[in-house]
Amino acid sequence: MGVLVVHANADRVLLCAPLAPNLNHQQTFFGGSAATLATLAAWTLAHHRFLEREGLDVNLVIQRGSMEYLQPAAAEVEAECLAPAEPSWERLLRAVRQRGKGRIELMVELRAEGVVIGSFRGS
């Protein structure tokens, strides 16, 4: 896929992937690659938050994810995941500390050439 990390910390993750290795039969960005890129952005944000901010090395699993494709992309695609609202994060932390597991919903925006081409919602 050729994924590159543009920015990654506990508050924001921005990944990108070039068009060439992700082409579909329509010569646009393959939907499966877009979904994978978005999933990876969400997972990376959760990983950084737990490790950097909380000092916790946890086992992360994507339980569910859904994509919305708004338009095709004929260029490099970026996936950006921003930190969730603080109350949501605190609920997750309490659950992990009390039961050893928890759930949070993260959103990822997909863009090509500055235009939003899709979104991902995962837990």
Side-chain angles (χ1 to χ4, degrees):
M1 284 182 56
V3 176
L4 297 173
V5 178
V6 177
H7 181 87
N9 67 18
D11 297 316
R12 177 177 169 256
V13 168
L14 180 63
L15 306 178
C16 70
L19 178 62
N22 297 291
L23 277 176
N24 65 19
H25 66 289
Q26 298 291 328
Q27 302 304 302
T28 59
F29 205 89
F30 175 57
S33 293
T36 301
L37 185 66
T39 302
L40 185 57
W43 186 94
T44 302
L45 182 93
H47 175 74
H48 273 283
R49 279 185 84 76
F50 273 114
L51 203 55
E52 287 179 11
R53 185 175 151 170
E54 311 301 338
L56 296 173
D57 188 11
V58 299
N59 187 18
L60 295 173
V61 176
I62 303 294
Q63 179 188 31
R64 172 180 315 125
S66 67
M67 280 291 304
E68 181 176 7
Y69 300 96
L70 301 174
Q71 64 184 44
E76 173 182 275
V77 171
E78 294 180 337
E80 183 175 39
C81 185
L82 300 176
E86 201 57 36
S88 297
W89 183 255
E90 290 301 322
R91 276 192 302 277
L92 173 63
L93 277 178
R94 277 193 307 279
V96 168
R97 288 184 174 131
Q98 290 172 0
R99 297 187 310 273
K101 61 183 177 178
R103 186 178 313 166
I104 194 164
E105 190 168 275
L106 296 175
M107 304 290 295
V108 177
E109 185 175 86
L110 294 164
R111 293 183 300 270
E113 298 179 320
V115 176
V116 176
I117 61 152
S119 63
F120 170 84
R121 177 185 306 253
S123 61

